[in-house]
Amino acid sequence: MRYLFALLLSGAMGLLAEPPSTIAIRNARIFPVSGPAIAKGTVLMRNGLIEAVGESVQIPAGAWIIEGESLTVYPGLIDALGTWGLPQQQNQQGQQGQAAAPAGLPPIPGLATPTVAPPSGPQDRPQTTSWQKAADLVSPGDRRIASARNMGYSTAAVFPNRGIFAGQGSMMQMAGEKVDSMVVAPNIGQYVAMRPAGFGRSFPDSLMGVIAYVKQIYLDAGHYSLAKKMYAENPRGMTRPAYDRALEGVLESPRLLLPANRAFEIDRYAKLGRELKQPTVLYGGVEAYKAAEMLKDTPILISIKWPERARDGDPEEEEDFRTLERREKAPSGPAALAKAGVRFAFYADGIERRSDWLRAVKRALEAGLTAEQALRALTLSPAEIFGVADRVGSVEKGKIANLVITKGDLFQDGAIQHVFIDGMKYDPAPEPPQGPPGGSPGGRRPGEGAEIEEVRK
Amino acid sequence: MRIAILLAGIAAGLAAQTVVLQNGTIMTVTKGTFKGAIVIKDGKIVEVGDKVLVPTGAQVIDATGQYIIPGIIDCHSHIAVESINEGSVSVSAMVGVGDNINPEEIEIYRALAGGVTTANVLHGSANAIGGKNVVLKMRWGKDAEALRFEGAKPGIKFALGENPKRQGNPTQPGQRARYPATRMGVEDVIRDAFTEAKSYQASWKEYEERSKRGERALPPRRDLKLEALVEVLEGKRLVHAHCYRADEILMLIRTADEMGFKIKTFQHVLEGYKVAKEIAAHGAGGSTFSDWWAYKAEAYDAIPYNAAIMHKKGVLVSLNSDSAELMRRLNTEAGKVMKYGGLTENEALAMVTINPARQLEIDNRVGSIEAGKDADLVVYDKNPLSVYAKVQKVFIDGTKYFDRDTDISERNRKALEKKRLLDAEKARQDEQKKQGMPPARRTGE
């Protein structure tokens, strides 16, 4: 039965006029995450939602059945921060400042491109595309979306990541014919990166300049909403507040994402978030192992791409004590956070192969994180951090039917059999061969700090 | 392990109990030099003298043959921050170096090992009006917030001459020119910025008056750049102005008088000896180098007597480093004014202790060894104005943050630990090679 099913669905999904609307996985081991594990039980999905979970679930007639004797069912994994589906060169205009022409618009014939002065202060909204939404930028056909699924991700917090105020993230399903149907939540936060322009080029060209800009933007946003409110109450006798899309984008973002790898960055940006009175989520977390105390009220997204010596680095380079220590201890961060009760989630940060993913997660497990804690950081915790835990993140009645099903343990070389997304079954493709060293073509990944070069005077 | 326990014991003990430094030569700077003892309680100096009583239960540190001075204060530094120059604009008053403190910067420890306990960390000099400063205590091991000198008056960097006008004269093809390109342009930028600041100040006053009258009014937009300049106008923020030449120093004094603000210190001020009377009349201080010049055209007309001449003409003078390296030996920088200018030992020491404290308006807390002040103290093995002197111990708020003996005894352990980390990394790499290597990224370091 199972083989027939697999043959029909995985091999010939496109040929089926109607995918099955009711699917049951029975006699499987289930990790709902929201509750205790079920040694042997059934998950029933109908019309893209989880209809029932438990040891004894009545399977309706006409349901397609997967025999789960050797299978384990987990919630679909959620990548807490990624660029899955985003065009690799998107958001170019963000680099030039607001005045440059929006990408994608054809040049107007007969009109010379105006030379735009580089940003000379916060008022020019440098490197800001806060109004952009990932949901509007994702292309469902991007091959990287399939890579995400192959690693067990059913869902991802996708964020534009170019510029300082890069734009708004969206919680996206990692499958869908059209982008509209992939969106779980269109606006889950504003991605901010500390990314100065080169020295002397344009404002801001220093880290403190970026920080001052972020502070000024939130002051401006507060003033802007006050002016709009007063104007809406009574426009007579009042100068009309100028429309500002940069501030609109910031104001409609429910939370702020700030980068923080070093412990002092975690301390600094958690405090900055409090100063700005914004719900803040940090990302990076390399030194989380010594920063749990600073994260009592601030969730953090941890990159599982643990720091390592650059392969093409100078082998003679004398590295300092702290760098070496950081590389050894970074994978112990999650365990330290779990122990301290800090809310954290994992993001793949450019890892695109299950074998690399597994090696990365295992290092956190070897450093003291339990499998249960790791699973939570890959499912319910990111859902909670981004305010979508009522829809995704656990195997619960009424939630979206996102599941990952393995033969064996997810964290112990168990092969991923199926990934269900909105109740639709996807089977992982064979792992692509190892690419050349140097990484993905995606350029800078979210969470990767900009190199800051300073001219000291 | 044994060392760790021992260290923990010392740290805990020092924080909690009364400490007495006795039998040392105490150079108080403000109250003379004598052999005696210092009693420290709760981070403060409670008694200094040649006949103090040792409270029972106090931890006694014998300083026989040693010299104790107040913690050195560097009035011009750029350490412990991740960026220094916002070089894109001619007025960068919206930024502050205090926003990007790196409390793990090793330069803090090195400064500490050189007897520095407080530093005025300034923005760079790429702008006519630069960013906000931060005054730090070298509390090595503490977080960014705890490094701040609590209650220190805020300040801002100004810069005159070549640095702020350099970007107006681009040397690279395709490089964009930034106004100003001349010294008169620098003057214009400052005047223009304060004109704008006054208008901003007036718009807030108008708003406050209108709201007081109960009128419906939208408050002005808060502007971080202009706010800082209004604080300067209101005397709430100290101006530290980078300068070299006599003419530009006079220019800034006139502009400040015209716009209605004060210069707290002229920094570098290598030609200060030419206009010392004018500087003193404005009420400004001078923070200069002992004998460092000729690194650019505007720094040629300098003399090693600058500090002594300014001092004798009534200028409050300090000696600064502007360098993480020079910062470690400001004690001998001070010694040079005894040779060049014939100042006394006490006058020399004052230039790196109480004088910079006064320039930063923190002299109620630090800068001399007096009862009631913070227990920021440096113990040397020899007279600190001698090149043979080595720092033995440094206390900040009564807590020992540097101990030469501990530093030396720890080196071996740290070297071993580093070797272990390197070996472990090698093992991880070998393991990965066996499994087929994933691409390594440049770490977020």
Side-chain angles (χ1 to χ4, degrees), chain B residues 87-366:
Chain B
S88 64
V89 286
S90 289
V91 180
S92 62
M94 73 291 271
V95 310
V97 292
D99 282 344
N100 66 166
I101 294 169
N102 175 357
E104 295 183 359
E105 176 60 70
I106 193 66
E107 289 162 353
I108 299 170
Y109 184 72
R110 290 177 183 155
L112 191 63
V116 175
T117 54
T118 297
N120 179 26
V121 179
L122 289 164
H123 184 277
S125 54
N127 336 65
I129 297 179
K132 294 167 257 199
N133 73 333
V134 64
V135 182
L136 299 180
K137 280 207 185 189
M138 303 293 107
R139 296 175 183 123
W140 179 244
K142 296 288 170 68
D143 69 13
E145 215 44 49
L147 289 189
R148 286 172 186 272
F149 194 120
E150 55 284 63
K153 202 163 182 179
I156 191 167
K157 181 76 172 287
F158 281 22
L160 310 177
E162 288 177 19
N163 291 10
K165 77 186 179 72
R166 184 175 297 134
Q167 277 170 273
N169 302 288
T171 51
Q172 303 297 317
Q175 198 183 338
R176 192 174 53 89
R178 185 196 80 183
Y179 183 78
T182 62
R183 281 189 158 74
M184 58 186 170
V186 172
E187 179 180 352
D188 173 60
V189 165
I190 295 169
R191 185 177 284 112
D192 196 47
F194 277 98
T195 307
E196 199 187 347
K198 284 181 173 188
S199 148
Y200 176 75
Q201 188 183 31
S203 70
W204 273 100
K205 281 202 179 113
E206 189 201 330
Y207 163 73
E208 275 151 23
E209 278 158 22
R210 284 184 68 184
S211 344
K212 241 182 254 166
R213 290 198 298 269
E215 285 177 41
R216 173 175 180 257
L218 178 68
R221 188 186 73 97
R222 274 187 64 194
D223 186 306
L224 291 175
K225 177 181 87 173
L226 298 174
E227 252 177 27
L229 299 182
V230 168
E231 286 167 3
V232 171
L233 287 169
E234 291 175 349
K236 295 173 185 160
R237 186 172 286 281
L238 308 176
V239 175
H240 302 290
H242 158 118
C243 61
Y244 289 92
R245 277 176 22 184
D247 56 349
E248 66 193 17
I249 294 165
L250 296 178
M251 176 280 283
L252 187 60
I253 289 174
R254 283 193 292 262
T255 308
D257 287 345
E258 179 193 328
M259 302 313 289
F261 65 90
K262 288 285 177 196
I263 310 299
K264 189 66 191 183
T265 68
F266 284 99
Q267 298 282 330
H268 310 326
V269 62
L270 294 191
E271 291 186 21
Y273 64 96
K274 297 181 184 175
V275 288
K277 274 189 275 187
E278 287 80 357
I279 294 172
H282 181 77
S287 189
T288 189
F289 300 134
S290 58
D291 56 357
W292 184 20
W293 62 72
Y295 38 83
K296 53 179 166 177
E298 65 184 358
Y300 265 77
D301 210 1
I303 52 172
Y305 299 90
N306 187 37
I309 292 175
M310 286 199 291
H311 170 71
K312 285 173 184 165
K313 295 287 179 184
V315 178
L316 181 66
V317 178
S318 66
L319 292 166
N320 68 52
S321 77
D322 193 14
S323 148
E325 189 280 315
L326 190 59
M327 193 176 187
R328 304 170 305 130
R329 47 191 174 86
L330 278 168
N331 55 319
T332 53
E333 291 299 291
K336 289 173 187 171
V337 297
M338 295 172 68
K339 176 166 176 62
Y340 301 109
L343 300 191
T344 65
E345 210 172 68
N346 210 56
E347 285 172 317
L349 262 187
M351 288 194 178
V352 292
T353 53
I354 190 67
N355 291 5
R358 286 180 181 138
Q359 291 177 336
L360 297 170
E361 300 193 1
I362 49 175
D363 52 305
N364 60 329
R365 289 271 307 275
V366 293

Side-chain angles (χ1 to χ4, degrees), chain A residues 201 206 220 230 327, chain B residues 86 176 216 221 425 435:
Chain A
R201 267 190 217 140
S206 64
D220 288 358
M230 284 178 70
R327 287 192 196 133
Chain B
E86 175 55 49
R176 192 174 53 89
R216 173 175 180 257
R221 188 186 73 97
E425 176 172 69
Q435 296 176 11

Side-chain angles (χ1 to χ4, degrees), chain A residues 7-58:
Chain A
L7 186 72
L8 271 174
L9 271 184
S10 71
M13 176 89 88
L15 299 177
L16 282 173
E18 290 266 322
S21 68
T22 309
I23 303 168
I25 304 150
R26 68 178 176 199
N27 299 326
R29 187 166 63 134
I30 305 164
F31 286 99
V33 178
S34 50
I38 300 163
K40 199 169 185 185
T42 301
V43 181
L44 179 66
M45 296 178 272
R46 193 201 289 268
N47 295 329
L49 298 176
I50 296 167
E51 187 156 290
V53 191
E55 284 175 351
S56 52
V57 170
Q58 195 69 35

Side-chain angles (χ1 to χ4, degrees), chain A residues 118 120-122 199-209 211-212 215-216 219-220 223 226-227 230-231 233-234 236 238 261-265 267-268 271 286-287 290 303 305-311 313 318-328 349 356 359 363 434 437-439 445 447-448 451-452 454-457, chain B residues 76 78-89 94-107 123-126 132 140 143-145 157 163 166-167 176 216-225 227 322 324 413-415 417-418 420-422 424-425 428-429 432 435-445:
Chain A
S120 62
F199 178 75
R201 267 190 217 140
S202 64
F203 181 86
D205 72 359
S206 64
L207 174 62
M208 63 182 162
I211 295 171
K215 287 183 178 182
Q216 185 67 60
L219 288 176
D220 288 358
H223 186 259
L226 178 63
M230 284 178 70
Y231 193 73
E233 282 163 12
N234 182 9
R236 281 171 197 270
M238 186 179 163
N261 275 322
R262 302 285 301 272
F264 65 82
E265 291 174 328
D267 177 44
R268 178 195 298 157
K271 280 178 182 151
V286 169
E287 287 185 354
K290 56 176 179 180
S303 163
K305 190 124 190 183
W306 310 115
E308 283 300 342
R309 182 188 290 267
R311 182 102 49 70
E318 173 79 9
E319 285 177 297
D320 64 31
F321 188 93
R322 281 208 184 99
T323 303
L324 297 167
E325 187 184 58
R326 192 177 304 135
R327 287 192 196 133
E328 179 173 275
D349 199 9
D356 296 340
R359 192 179 300 127
R363 282 199 67 193
Q434 177 72 58
R445 289 180 289 274
E448 237 180 23
E451 258 83 31
I452 296 158
E454 268 305 324
V455 180
R456 294 203 167 194
K457 295 251 159 156
Chain B
H76 191 130
H78 300 294
I79 67 161
V81 288
E82 286 198 272
S83 68
I84 294 157
N85 267 299
E86 175 55 49
S88 64
V89 286
M94 73 291 271
V95 310
V97 292
D99 282 344
N100 66 166
I101 294 169
N102 175 357
E104 295 183 359
E105 176 60 70
I106 193 66
E107 289 162 353
H123 184 277
S125 54
K132 294 167 257 199
W140 179 244
D143 69 13
E145 215 44 49
K157 181 76 172 287
N163 291 10
R166 184 175 297 134
Q167 277 170 273
R176 192 174 53 89
R216 173 175 180 257
L218 178 68
R221 188 186 73 97
R222 274 187 64 194
D223 186 306
L224 291 175
K225 177 181 87 173
E227 252 177 27
D322 193 14
R413 188 187 63 79
K414 282 188 175 156
E417 175 62 8
K418 183 166 180 178
R420 189 197 66 74
L421 285 167
L422 277 166
E425 176 172 69
R428 282 201 304 277
Q429 283 178 328
Q432 283 188 8
Q435 296 176 11
M437 290 190 287
R441 72 167 174 180
R442 278 241 169 241
T443 56
E445 309 166 336

